[in-house]
Every structure is written in C-alpha cells, then in structure tokens.
Amino acid sequence: MGISGVSSAVGYQSQAAVSRGSSGQETEGERLAAALREERESQPTLTEMMKEAKERSEERERMLKLTKSNARYGDAPIQAYARLARARSLGEVDAASGYARRQMARLRAAKSSDSENADRIQAAINQLQKAVNRAGRKKREISQEKTVAKRQVKLEKEKRLREAKRQRQELRRRQAQRMIRESGYIREAEVDNRLQNHLSAAKLELRSQMQEISSSTQAALDTAIQGYAAAGAEAAPVPEISVEA
C-alpha cells in the first residue's frame, strides 16, 4: 500500500513537470509568433509602397525642373560676351568687362549658398573670367586699329594712295578677324551652358538611381531577415512523455 502511494505521487509529479515544460515552450512560441505578426504589421503595405514610389517620382521631376531653371547661371557669360561683341570703343569694352566682373562677384556669393549647383556656378565663373581677359585683348586691338586708321589718313593726305589702300585693307582684315573671333566666344559660352545642363541632369539621375538601389537592397534584406525569423519562430512539437505508475 505504501509503495503504490509513492509510485502514484511520483507519477503525478512527473506529469506536472512535463505539463509545465510544455506550457513554457508553448508560451515562448506564442511570444515569438506575436512578435513576428507585429513585425509584419509594421511593414509597409503595397499601397504604401506605391505611394512612396509615386512621391519619389514626383521629387525627381521637381529636381529636373529645378535643374532646368538653374540655366540662369549660364546666362551671365553669354550676356557678357554679347556686350563685348557689341563694344566699339574703349569705354564700351570697359563697361562689358565691368559687367562680367559684377556677375563673377554675384556668382561667387551664390556658390556659397547653392552647393547643389557649385560645379555649374564655377563653370560660369570661369567663362566670365575669360570674358574679362578677352576684354583686355580687345582694348589692345582697338588701340592698334586706331593707330592703323590714323596712318591711313596720313598717307591719304600725303597722296600715297597705294600705301593708304594697303593700310585700309589691313584695318578691315583685323576688324573682320576680331568679329569672327568674338562670335565664336558667344557660341563657346552657349555650348558650355548646354553641357552644364546635361551634366546636372545626369548627376541628378544618377543620385536618384542610387537611392532606388539602396531602397530595394534594404527591402530585400528586411525580407530575408523576416523569413529567417519566421522559420525560427516555428514552435517545435512537444513530445508526449508517458510515465507508468
């Protein structure tokens, strides 16, 4: 009778221990499953992902429009060269050079506040510096042309018509070469402006693509982590333990 009672007590304690172990494993599995459900619920839905993609597309279009509007940075060199080409006197050349210098100062100030377009602004500053240097060259050429014109007048007064004719032809040749060269300055500034437009658009597109690649990589990584967590959260079946009394 005593032995039977002891056996019954041992059997009851064993069953209770097994029940507590099973209950503990089930509780841990439930916590993992709940955490996984919470993680899944926190992930963006398809609608949210589509909305985010649309917002990124709109942001890209806005930046492209902003890049196009920044063409004003390239307008200053074109305007400076146009003024230089129209200049016919030393005073007008000085005025064109002064305009270029003022625009250089303005763009240097803009460069410190608009770092996004720093390269584009610097390109415009470089063109304006060329305009200042070329204005100095034009002043020397105008002075030389005035000297040739005075010599021509003197030769005509002295009835040295053949030499006067050569001086007149030389003067026209110098002026024609200068006009051709100055029109080339304007074309150079226009080409540089278009090049800077393309470079700005290419940089913007590259930055946008890098952001998309980073986002997709992070999404793939998150998915892999979630799958791994889901596999680990699968509760292992509790083996049945039979204790004979």
Side-chain angles (χ1 to χ4, degrees):
M1 189 72 175
I3 295 174
S4 177
V6 171
S7 299
S8 298
V10 171
Y12 175 77
Q13 292 174 356
S14 299
Q15 291 177 355
V18 171
S19 298
R20 285 195 300 272
S22 300
S23 176
Q25 292 181 1
E26 291 175 356
T27 303
E28 182 67 20
E30 290 174 356
R31 284 200 296 268
L32 289 173
L36 181 60
R37 284 195 301 270
E38 183 179 354
E39 179 67 19
R40 288 176 177 173
E41 291 174 355
S42 65
Q43 294 299 315
T45 63
L46 179 60
T47 303
E48 293 173 343
M49 292 174 66
M50 292 176 64
K51 181 180 179 181
E52 183 180 356
K54 182 180 179 181
E55 291 176 351
R56 286 202 302 267
S57 177
E58 292 175 350
E59 177 67 14
R60 185 188 305 177
E61 291 180 358
R62 186 186 70 80
M63 292 300 295
L64 285 172
K65 291 180 180 178
L66 182 62
T67 300
K68 293 179 180 179
S69 66
N70 284 335
R72 65 183 183 274
Y73 291 135
D75 290 344
I78 297 174
Q79 181 64 23
Y81 282 129
R83 294 189 178 201
L84 183 60
R86 291 194 300 266
R88 293 292 180 268
S89 65
L90 295 178
E92 291 176 349
V93 174
D94 285 336
S97 179
Y99 172 82
R101 294 179 187 276
R102 290 193 300 273
Q103 293 303 310
M104 287 172 62
R106 180 181 68 84
L107 291 178
R108 287 194 180 102
K111 183 179 178 181
S112 61
S113 60
D114 189 2
S115 58
E116 187 73 19
N117 295 286
D119 294 340
R120 183 182 184 83
I121 296 173
Q122 186 59 50
I125 292 174
N126 294 341
Q127 283 291 333
L128 288 167
Q129 183 61 57
K130 288 182 180 180
V132 172
N133 297 338
R134 288 164 173 171
R137 177 179 180 178
K138 183 168 185 176
K139 288 180 66 175
R140 293 190 298 270
E141 290 177 340
I142 289 178
S143 297
Q144 292 171 359
E145 290 169 6
K146 286 184 176 181
T147 301
V148 173
K150 289 179 180 179
R151 188 179 301 118
Q152 174 193 338
V153 172
K154 182 180 179 181
L155 291 171
E156 289 176 349
K157 288 181 179 180
E158 295 175 354
K159 305 300 182 180
R160 298 163 63 180
L161 301 181
R162 183 175 298 179
E163 294 180 16
K165 182 178 180 181
R166 283 200 301 268
Q167 291 296 318
R168 184 166 56 253
Q169 291 174 346
E170 176 65 17
L171 179 60
R172 290 177 178 175
R173 184 185 65 82
R174 287 172 176 261
Q175 292 174 341
Q177 288 180 345
R178 178 164 53 81
M179 292 177 62
I180 293 172
R181 188 170 58 250
E182 290 172 353
S183 64
Y185 295 161
I186 298 176
R187 288 195 298 271
E188 176 188 324
E190 291 173 345
V191 170
D192 185 70
N193 187 34
R194 288 195 296 269
L195 177 61
Q196 294 303 322
N197 280 338
H198 291 313
L199 289 176
S200 297
K203 288 180 181 178
L204 179 63
E205 180 64 22
L206 180 60
R207 187 183 301 116
S208 178
Q209 290 178 3
M210 292 299 294
Q211 290 176 351
E212 290 180 359
I213 292 173
S214 177
S215 300
S216 61
T217 303
Q218 184 63 37
L221 180 61
D222 292 342
T223 302
I225 293 174
Q226 292 174 14
Y228 182 77
E234 293 290 338
V238 180
E240 294 182 357
I241 301 175
S242 176
V243 180
E244 294 181 357

